[in-house]
């Protein structure tokens, strides 16, 4: 190489060569590939005797055209010893680092960077420092040990490092030749002018690298021992095989042939059969002690046991199916009709793909039991999988065989348990599927519940296609809001609405009472008898639900009481009547009928209707007016939408105050407070808008709401009453609570006529309103409540000024 005649300190300016993912240290020689146009121009402009440049690392190696801000402040002055032209028009240069430099100012940008630089000197420690000498020796010793343990480092480095007397040069040499130091750490070492600090940082890194290399060596040694042991076992087993063959003990060969026969008889698809035979060939060559032996054997066992071509015998008897459905379930006519329609089409076209049904309804209305009845009517196997709380996608699609203990997903496992390719498969609680970092099970269900895709369903464990198109999937859910729209789009939704009181009585007589008397060991009608009046009393005063689960629990309680009396030697028959129900069940839990009458006697209280996942419920809305001015308070754990409904109600009342003998400026001198009781329960939605207007007008005009009247409907600022959902559930809740009249939006009349036949309504009257004015006219009493002597006269406070000449 050429002799360097000048020092970099002789120059105040240097051309700057940006480099990516590398750091050049002083006294180090580094090969670099130059390919950028600006860098090629820089090298070509250098004179033969003036090949000094500044080498500065980029902060981000992805930047192709670095600007001054993209470069570090500290770099290295270097000399180019040799330039080699490559066929790709790039240059390959060898540069030698000379001294640390600091870029003080960029004086030129084109055609390449040119900067004013300043040479940097190391900060040396005080002379004769024992601590510094010990640090130098520690760094040298650790580096030599690392070189010994690292197969990628040449042993010559130990000799070189022993011959370096300059501590600064020693530190730079080690930093440049240690591959485990990242580029960021190398740049920090380059920028470290304090030699003691630089050596201390290098010492810490060498100590860490030393520990890593020791652990690597130990692992490599352990692996080598295991490999040696495995080879020894292999030779011994091969000898054992030869001995067994001589003795005629060829059990393994017999096992392979047995599996081959099962594969041929399983009726697999071509793809599955090809994969099974390939795995069988691998198994035949494997030692039973091999790690993959049992994994492959388990995989083959799963393949041969699946019902690839087994289907239930087609037995479609519509009359029998109707009898089974009617016997097991009371009412639910819409759902029964849909099932019978499917059976009729299946009878005409046996190749029909299974529909994807979704039963939606409150808890206890019979969604899962209805699915069991469908399987019974079809004479098919019944499989149930609960999706509640599932977070892992592998529960649906299975794990890959690379994982220890891997198994197929629950879909394939369920089909295996059914032992046929066309069971009734219930996916329970599909609205409660979780989602986290492990995956989204609802997305995995998209393929399962799509009739166009599930014929080629591929489980991660099997890794071959399996036809699920014959499976009748039935999903159950309490609400639809939490089901992702793409998944909901693949299902046919059938709503199972709440039961009326008469329906619950019939269900109790036909199903619940016989079931509970049998479970508790007593004889129905001989040792205990329930009157219809007692059942109605239990439904009204001890349960508040759309389904019948709580009713079944109360019946079970009565059966237990009677079973105890029989066990104590008192076998007398017990007739359950409304008079003696409290003796067994205690004080009635619900008294809605009297509660509604008591709470609506004073002005400012209106009864609304709400939809909940467990059915409908009544909702009290209270409005209070007090001295103050312009303050509007909303309490009761109400959501954003419900708060906006309250504000809309206030705005409408202020705009129409004069129509109801209310001072239009009441909000200037009075505060308004809306409260929805049961404050611990979150409430939201727009359907209580008409109830809020009624409560506010009632409070301002002192006209109470008529007794046993409830209402529901969304309002607009123009005074319209808009339609809402959940009409059947809300009306049934009103009937359970003893309401005699319900105000509904006029546009909900078709829904009410379809879902609420006259025999279901009984004496309950439905009134349809189009505007808020119609609702108020029907809801409020004609005359205000007389003012109490101790309270300020509300009529005076809110009455309009009397017409006539001024005094």
């Amino acid at each position: 190489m050429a002799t360097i005649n000048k020092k970099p300190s002789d120059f105040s300016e240097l051309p700057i060569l940006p480099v990516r993912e590398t750091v050049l240290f002083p006294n180090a020689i580094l090969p670099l590939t130059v390919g950028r146009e600006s860098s090629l121009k820089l090298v070509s402009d250098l004179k033969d005797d003036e090949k000094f440049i500044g080498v500065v690392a980029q902060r981000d190696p992805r930047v192709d055209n670095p600007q001054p801000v993209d470069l570090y402040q500290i770099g290295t002055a270097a000399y180019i010893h040799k330039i080699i032209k490559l066929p790709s028009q790039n240059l390959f240069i060898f540069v030698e680092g000379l001294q640390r430099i600091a870029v003080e100012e960029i004086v030129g940008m084109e055609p390449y960077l040119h900067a004013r630089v300043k040479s940097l000197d190391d900060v040396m420690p005080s002379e004769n420092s024992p601590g510094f000498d010990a640090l130098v020796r520690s760094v040298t010793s650790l580096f030599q040990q690392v070189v010994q343990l690292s197969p990628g480092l040449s042993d010559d480095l130990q000799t070189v490092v022993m011959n370096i007397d300059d501590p600064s040069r020693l530190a730079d040499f080690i930093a440049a030749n240690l591959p485990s130091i990242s580029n960021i750490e190398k740049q920090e070492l380059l920028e470290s002018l304090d030699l003691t600090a630089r050596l201390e940082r290098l010492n810490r890194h060498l100590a860490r690298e030393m520990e890593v290399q020791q652990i690597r060596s130990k692992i490599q040694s352990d692996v080598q021992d295991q490999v040696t042991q495995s080879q020894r076992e292999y030779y011994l087993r091969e000898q054992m095989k030869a001995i067994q063959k001589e003795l005629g003990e060829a059990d393994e060969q017999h096992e392979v042939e047995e599996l081959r026969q099962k594969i041929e008889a399983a009726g697999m698809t071509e793809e599955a059969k090809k994969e099974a035979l390939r795995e069988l060939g691998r198994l035949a060559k494997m030692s039973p002690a091999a790690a993959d032996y049992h994994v492959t054997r388990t995989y083959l066992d799963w393949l041969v046991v699946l019902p690839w071509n087994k289907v239930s015998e087609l037995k479609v008897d519509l009359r029998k199916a109707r009898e089974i459905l009617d016997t097991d379930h009371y009412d639910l006519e819409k759902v029964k009709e849909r099932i019978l329609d499917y059976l009729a089409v299946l009878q005409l076209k046996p190749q029909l793909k299974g529909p994807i049904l979704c039963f939606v309804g409150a808890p206890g209305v019979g969604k899962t039991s209805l699915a069991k009845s469908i399987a019974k009517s079809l004479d098919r196997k019944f499989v149930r999988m609960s999706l509640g709380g599932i977070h892992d996608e592998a529960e649906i699609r299975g794990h890959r065989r690379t994982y220890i203990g891997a198994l197929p997903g629950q879909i394939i496992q369920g089909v295996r348990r059914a032992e046929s390719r066309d069971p009734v498969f219930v996916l329970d609680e599909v609205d409660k599927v979780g989602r986290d970092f492990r995956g989204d099970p609802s997305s995995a269900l998209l393929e399962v519940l799509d009739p166009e895709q599930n014929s080629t369903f591929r489980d991660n464990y099997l890794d071959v296609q399996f036809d699920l198109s014959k499976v009748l999937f039935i999903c159950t859910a309490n609400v639809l809001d939490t089901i992702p729209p793409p998944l909901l789009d693949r299902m046919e939704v059938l709503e199972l609405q709440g039961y009326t009181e008469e329906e619950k009585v019939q269900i109790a007589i036909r199903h619940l009472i016989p079931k509970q008397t049998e479970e508790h060991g007593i004889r129905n009608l001989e040792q205990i008898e329930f009157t219809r009046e007692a059942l109605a009393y239990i439904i009204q005063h001890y349960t508040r639900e759309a389904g019948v689960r709580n009713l079944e629990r109360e019946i079970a309680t009565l059966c237990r009481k009677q079973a105890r009396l029989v066990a104590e030697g008192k076998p007398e028959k017990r007739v359950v009547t409304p008079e003696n129900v409290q003796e067994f069940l205690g004080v009635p839990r619900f008294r809605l009928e009297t509660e509604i009458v008591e709470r609506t006697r004073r002005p400012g209280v209106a009864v609304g209707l709400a939809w909940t996942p467990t059915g409908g419920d009544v909702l009290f809305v209270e409005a209070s007016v007090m001295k103050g001015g312009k303050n509007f308070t909303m309490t009761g754990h109400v959501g954003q939408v419900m708060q906006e409904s309250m504000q809309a109600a206030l705005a409408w009342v202020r705009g129409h105050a004069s129509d109801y003998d209310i001072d239009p400026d009441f909000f200037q001198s009075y505060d308004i407070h809306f409260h929805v009781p049961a404050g611990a329960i979150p409430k939201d939605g727009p359907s209580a808008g008409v109830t809020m207007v009624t409560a506010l007008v009632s409070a301002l005009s002192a006209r109470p709401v008529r007794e046993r009247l409830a209402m529901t409907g969304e309002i607009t600022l123009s005074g319209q009453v808009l339609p809402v959902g959940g009409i059947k559930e809300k009306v049934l809740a009103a009937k359970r609570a003893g309401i005699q009249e319900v105000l509904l939006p006029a546009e909900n009349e078709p829904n009410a006529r379809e879902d609420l036949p006259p025999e279901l309504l009984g004496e309950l009257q439905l009134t349809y309103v189009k505007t808020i004015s119609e609702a108020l006219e029907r809801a409020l009493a004609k005359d205000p409540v007389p003012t109490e002597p101790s309270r300020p006269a509300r009529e005076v406070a809110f009455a309009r000024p009397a017409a006539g000449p001024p005094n």
Side-chain angles (χ1 to χ4, degrees):
M1 292 187 179
T3 304
I4 303 173
N5 297 322
K6 293 185 179 181
K7 296 181 180 180
S9 57
D10 297 338
F11 300 94
S12 59
E13 294 182 4
L14 285 174
I16 301 301
L17 176 65
V19 293
R20 298 190 243 213
E21 296 185 331
T22 187
V23 176
L24 176 63
F25 284 87
N27 303 306
I29 297 177
L30 188 68
L32 295 173
T33 302
V34 179
R36 285 189 278 223
E37 290 183 5
S38 58
S39 300
L40 292 172
K41 178 66 175 172
L42 184 154
V43 176
S44 63
D45 286 351
L46 293 175
K47 298 178 182 180
D48 291 339
D49 56 345
E50 295 289 334
K51 294 184 179 179
F52 291 93
I53 61 172
V55 179
V56 182
Q58 292 182 203
R59 297 180 185 274
D60 186 356
R62 294 171 295 181
V63 178
D64 288 327
N65 187 20
Q67 301 299 312
V69 70
D70 298 321
L71 304 178
Y72 286 102
Q73 189 80 16
I74 306 298
T76 306
Y79 181 83
I80 300 178
H81 283 281
K82 191 173 183 179
I83 302 174
I84 301 174
K85 289 187 178 180
L86 301 176
S88 61
Q89 304 304 319
N90 293 340
L91 297 178
F92 193 68
I93 63 175
F94 290 85
V95 295
E96 179 184 1
L98 302 176
Q99 189 174 2
R100 286 174 172 79
I101 58 171
V103 179
E104 291 190 320
E105 182 183 1
I106 301 296
V107 296
M109 295 289 293
E110 296 294 338
Y112 45 82
L113 294 176
H114 212 84
R116 184 176 294 114
V117 299
K118 181 181 71 173
S119 299
L120 300 175
D121 297 321
D122 292 331
V123 179
M124 303 296 291
S126 59
E127 296 182 0
N128 301 324
S129 172
F132 181 79
D133 292 339
L135 183 58
V136 172
R137 293 182 185 180
S138 175
V139 169
T140 304
S141 174
L142 283 173
F143 181 73
Q144 290 175 329
Q145 294 178 50
V146 169
V147 170
Q148 288 178 350
L149 292 171
S150 300
L153 296 178
S154 172
D155 292 336
D156 295 337
L157 294 175
Q158 298 185 57
T159 306
V160 175
V161 82
M162 288 294 294
N163 296 325
I164 298 177
D165 297 325
D166 183 5
S168 176
R169 187 171 179 180
L170 174 70
D172 292 341
F173 177 83
I174 293 175
N177 287 280
L178 203 59
S180 59
I181 301 181
S182 66
N183 291 321
I184 295 177
E185 291 175 318
K186 286 184 178 181
Q187 181 65 31
E188 291 174 351
L189 289 169
L190 183 67
E191 294 177 0
S192 179
L193 299 181
D194 188 341
L195 186 55
T196 303
R198 194 190 315 165
L199 286 168
E200 287 177 348
R201 178 176 295 179
L202 201 56
N203 190 61
R204 287 194 298 272
H205 184 84
L206 285 167
R208 185 172 71 250
E209 180 64 15
M210 179 68 183
E211 185 177 354
V212 170
Q213 291 298 333
Q214 288 175 343
I215 295 173
R216 185 196 63 79
S217 297
K218 183 178 182 301
I219 293 173
Q220 189 173 5
S221 176
D222 293 342
V223 170
Q224 187 64 35
D225 292 341
Q226 291 177 3
V227 169
T228 304
Q229 179 67 18
S230 299
Q231 290 175 344
R232 179 174 175 274
E233 291 178 358
Y234 173 75
Y235 292 136
L236 291 174
R237 291 191 183 280
E238 288 298 317
Q239 293 176 2
M240 187 184 298
K241 282 184 180 180
I243 296 172
Q244 288 178 342
K245 187 175 181 180
E246 290 296 328
L247 295 174
E249 299 175 356
D251 292 340
E252 294 178 17
Q253 192 65 27
H254 176 71
E255 188 176 333
V256 170
E257 285 303 319
E258 186 179 346
L259 278 172
R260 191 184 304 276
Q261 293 175 7
K262 289 182 179 179
I263 291 171
E264 294 293 339
M268 300 180 187
T269 61
E270 286 299 322
E271 179 194 15
K273 186 175 180 180
K274 182 178 178 182
E275 180 67 17
L277 291 175
R278 189 178 71 84
E279 291 293 326
L280 184 64
R282 290 183 62 234
L283 184 72
K285 300 174 184 177
M286 252 185 236
S287 165
D292 288 346
Y293 182 86
H294 293 288
V295 174
T296 304
R297 177 60 199 265
T298 304
Y299 175 70
L300 289 172
D301 286 342
W302 271 102
L303 285 179
V304 299
V305 80
L306 285 175
W308 294 94
N309 59 357
K310 296 179 183 177
V311 293
S312 303
E313 185 180 350
L314 185 61
K315 297 179 181 178
V316 179
D317 187 339
L318 294 179
R319 183 176 299 176
K320 176 186 174 185
R322 181 77 196 197
E323 290 176 358
I324 292 174
L325 293 173
D326 287 340
T327 302
D328 292 349
H329 289 83
Y330 181 79
D331 197 36
L332 302 178
E333 289 301 324
K334 285 185 179 180
V335 181
K336 292 178 182 177
E337 289 296 325
R338 177 63 184 88
I339 299 303
L340 293 173
D341 291 346
Y342 165 69
L343 294 179
V345 177
L346 186 65
Q347 185 176 7
L348 300 177
K349 187 179 180 181
Q351 295 80 21
L352 178 68
K353 293 181 178 179
I356 313 297
L357 304 179
C358 182
F359 295 160
V360 180
V365 296
K367 300 183 292 296
T368 306
S369 61
L370 180 61
K372 290 182 181 179
S373 297
I374 292 172
K376 185 178 176 183
S377 64
L378 288 172
D379 200 14
R380 292 188 186 179
K381 295 291 183 66
F382 175 80
V383 182
R384 176 183 170 274
M385 174 187 177
S386 178
L387 297 176
I390 282 184
H391 291 267
D392 194 351
E393 175 192 352
E395 293 284 345
I396 307 296
R397 280 210 182 104
H399 295 86
R400 301 194 182 278
R401 276 183 286 156
T402 52
Y403 295 102
I404 297 175
L407 284 174
Q410 290 294 329
I411 301 296
I412 294 296
Q413 291 189 38
V415 173
R416 178 192 174 181
R417 289 194 296 271
E419 299 179 348
S420 69
R421 199 160 56 88
D422 59 347
V424 175
F425 204 122
V426 173
L427 300 173
D428 226 350
E429 311 294 351
V430 72
D431 56 328
K432 298 173 181 63
V433 175
R435 181 179 184 179
D436 63 6
F437 65 92
R438 287 167 289 187
D440 183 4
S442 61
S443 298
L445 285 173
L446 294 178
E447 181 184 4
V448 175
L449 299 182
D450 191 337
E452 301 300 324
Q453 298 180 27
N454 61 12
S455 60
T456 57
F457 175 72
R458 187 179 291 272
D459 187 272
N460 288 333
Y461 180 82
L462 298 181
D463 200 26
V464 293
Q465 293 180 0
F466 189 88
D467 187 3
L468 296 176
S469 60
K470 295 291 184 181
V471 179
L472 175 56
F473 284 104
I474 299 178
C475 302
T476 70
N478 296 130
V479 293
L480 297 177
D481 300 345
T482 56
I483 303 177
L487 183 58
L488 187 62
D489 184 59
R490 285 164 165 77
M491 301 186 291
E492 180 181 348
V493 178
L494 299 176
E495 291 191 14
L496 278 69
Q497 297 169 332
Y499 295 115
T500 63
E501 181 180 311
E502 178 58 30
E503 289 170 345
K504 290 182 180 179
V505 171
Q506 290 292 338
I507 292 170
I509 294 173
R510 297 185 184 190
H511 304 287
L512 304 183
I513 294 176
K515 176 184 175 183
Q516 291 301 324
T517 52
E518 181 180 354
E519 288 186 0
H520 289 83
I522 57 177
R523 295 186 296 277
N524 187 23
L525 301 179
E526 294 183 18
Q527 294 177 325
I528 188 169
E529 181 181 351
F530 292 81
T531 63
R532 297 176 66 92
E533 294 77 12
L535 291 172
Y537 187 83
I538 294 171
I539 293 168
Q540 292 172 3
H541 297 90
Y542 291 90
T543 66
R544 183 189 289 181
E545 58 177 346
V548 292
R549 273 204 188 121
N550 288 329
L551 175 60
E552 185 175 9
R553 291 191 188 99
E554 302 302 335
I555 293 173
T557 301
L558 292 166
C559 290
R560 283 196 301 273
K561 299 292 186 183
Q562 180 62 15
R564 179 180 174 184
L565 292 175
V566 172
E568 291 175 350
K570 302 174 183 177
E572 295 84 6
K573 178 180 177 181
R574 171 76 61 177
V575 178
V576 181
T577 63
E579 290 74 21
N580 62 12
V581 166
Q582 293 190 32
E583 179 183 344
F584 298 101
L585 300 182
V587 179
R589 299 184 183 90
F590 305 106
R591 54 181 190 88
L592 271 179
E593 192 169 338
T594 56
E595 182 183 13
I596 289 174
V597 174
E598 293 171 0
R599 293 179 66 168
T600 55
R601 281 176 181 169
R602 62 175 297 277
V605 181
V607 182
L609 299 173
W611 180 93
T612 69
T614 59
D617 205 350
V618 296
L619 188 74
F620 292 96
V621 176
E622 299 179 350
S624 182
V625 183
M626 62 216 82
K627 284 285 187 180
K630 298 184 179 180
N631 286 329
F632 185 53
T633 307
M634 298 168 284
T635 57
H637 209 328
V638 293
Q640 182 65 32
V641 177
M642 204 167 189
Q643 293 181 24
E644 293 173 358
S645 295
M646 293 177 178
Q647 294 168 349
L650 175 62
W652 188 90
V653 173
R654 291 179 66 186
H656 299 78
S658 57
D659 298 342
Y660 301 96
D661 294 332
I662 300 171
D663 184 3
D665 297 328
F666 70 88
F667 197 52
Q668 303 297 322
S669 54
Y670 285 86
D671 292 342
I672 305 296
H673 187 161
F674 267 119
H675 179 64
V676 185
I681 302 174
K683 312 167 193 70
D684 206 358
S687 63
V690 67
T691 315
M692 296 168 186
V693 171
T694 303
L696 184 56
V697 173
S698 172
L700 292 170
S701 63
R703 294 165 60 187
V705 179
R706 291 173 50 216
E707 286 187 358
R708 300 191 181 184
L709 180 140
M711 62 199 77
T712 184
E714 182 180 354
I715 61 169
T716 67
L717 291 178
S718 59
Q720 299 296 313
V721 179
L722 302 182
V724 294
I727 293 298
K728 181 178 180 181
E729 288 82 358
K730 293 177 179 179
V731 172
L732 292 180
K735 186 176 180 181
R736 288 197 297 268
I739 297 293
Q740 295 177 347
E741 182 178 359
V742 176
L743 303 185
L744 297 176
E747 293 184 36
N748 281 123
E749 186 173 357
N751 308 96
R753 292 187 183 279
E754 180 181 1
D755 297 333
L756 301 166
E759 58 271 15
L760 188 150
L761 293 174
E763 298 180 357
L764 180 64
Q765 178 183 350
L766 301 182
T767 303
Y768 302 99
V769 295
K770 292 184 178 180
T771 64
I772 298 176
S773 301
E774 293 179 18
L776 292 174
E777 182 69 24
R778 187 70 184 174
L780 296 178
K782 299 298 181 183
D783 301 319
V785 174
T787 306
E788 299 177 9
S790 60
R791 293 167 55 192
R794 300 176 70 87
E795 294 83 2
V796 176
F798 299 117
R800 289 183 296 174
N807 294 327

